[in-house]
Amino acid sequence: AQRAAGAGASVPAAPPAPVQQQNAMVITKRSPSGTEYFVGVELEGGERMELWVSGSQYGLLLEGDQGLLTWQGRRLVAFERAAVARKA
């Protein structure tokens, strides 16, 4: 069997990024192309980062939302909004 040029000389794939969780707040939302969606978040310690989100997740998130953020690498996995006490 013949191999294509370079086959077998590939570098092993890097292990996937760890899944992480931390309390965070959504600070920005953007969709530069209308088909890609990003949210900016600020973690509890003040660190900020931008994560890729699906269109359905994007539609559910609002700037100012606070809750438990789960992410892997640069991708938002889940965001569980914290219950906020409302004034009567």
Side-chain angles (χ1 to χ4, degrees), residues 30-38 52-53 55 58:
R30 69 182 186 94
S31 178
S33 66
T35 58
E36 289 187 303
Y37 305 94
F38 301 90
W52 175 88
V53 298
Y58 184 85

Side-chain angles (χ1 to χ4, degrees), residues 17-24 41 43-44 47 49-52 68-79:
V19 174
Q20 300 180 69
Q21 279 190 326
Q22 191 171 335
N23 288 324
V41 295
L43 303 177
E44 228 172 13
E47 180 185 350
M49 63 182 163
E50 187 172 66
L51 300 170
W52 175 88
L68 182 62
L69 172 70
T70 304
W71 76 97
Q72 184 174 23
R74 302 310 279 172
R75 181 179 64 88
L76 185 142
V77 174
F79 187 85

Side-chain angles (χ1 to χ4, degrees), residues 3-20:
R3 290 185 172 186
S10 62
V11 176
V19 174
Q20 300 180 69

